[in-house]
Amino acid sequence: MRSIALALLLLCGTAQADVTLGPVTIRNASNSAVGAVDADGTIRNASNSVVGKIDHDGTVRNASNSSVGKVESDGTIRNASNSSIGKVESDGTIRNASNSQVGKLESDGTIRNSANSAVGKVDGYSPGLRQMVAAALFFGGSVSVLRVDR
């Protein structure tokens, strides 16, 4: 009985929290839609073509369904080699691999760059979706309105 309890404790202790998914539309500073994330995590570009997917466990996949990275429940963004390439903090601050602030997701969905200028907006945003939106900004290619590689 002890070994079963220990096994359950070990499994529960290493489980990662799911990343919350939800439908959002990402707009640029001109209010044009540049992409979207569907309720199931599918990432679409402005032409409505599928460019990737975010799974509930945080795995980010490209259009060919290959894993290209991961967003963790604490907001850390990792590439396919498991190296940290950035992070979204609980207040929405977005940092690159060098820990420099490159932007911020405001609670109303406004996306700001490092100079605090509004560069876009996320329709349907809530702070609980910050990991999902950050993954789309880091891995979504043309969907991103923010330079995260600085």
Side-chain angles (χ1 to χ4, degrees):
M1 187 67 153
R2 263 190 205 172
S3 60
I4 293 172
L6 181 59
L8 286 173
L9 180 62
L10 289 173
L11 285 173
C12 292
T14 60
Q16 288 188 340
D18 285 343
V19 171
T20 303
L21 302 178
V24 297
T25 300
I26 301 172
R27 299 187 177 279
N28 62 19
S30 302
N31 205 33
S32 297
V34 295
V37 181
D38 297 342
D40 69 351
T42 300
I43 305 170
R44 298 183 180 277
N45 64 16
S47 302
N48 206 33
S49 297
V50 174
V51 295
K53 186 167 192 305
I54 304 166
D55 295 334
H56 279 285
D57 70 354
T59 301
V60 182
R61 301 182 180 282
N62 63 17
S64 301
N65 205 34
S66 297
S67 176
V68 295
K70 184 168 185 110
V71 58
E72 297 177 352
S73 59
D74 71 350
T76 301
I77 311 286
R78 298 191 178 278
N79 63 16
S81 301
N82 206 34
S83 297
S84 175
I85 60 171
K87 184 170 186 171
V88 58
E89 298 175 351
S90 60
D91 68 350
T93 300
I94 300 171
R95 299 191 178 277
N96 64 11
S98 302
N99 204 34
S100 298
Q101 181 176 343
V102 294
K104 186 165 186 178
L105 285 167
E106 300 284 350
S107 60
D108 68 352
T110 300
I111 303 169
R112 298 195 178 276
N113 64 15
S114 59
N116 205 33
S117 298
V119 294
K121 178 134 176 116
V122 182
D123 294 342
Y125 179 77
S126 69
L129 298 174
R130 74 180 179 281
Q131 293 95 336
M132 180 197 74
V133 172
L137 293 174
F138 272 84
F139 293 108
S142 62
V143 172
S144 185
V145 295
L146 187 63
R147 292 276 321 260
V148 293
D149 57 350
R150 292 182 197 176

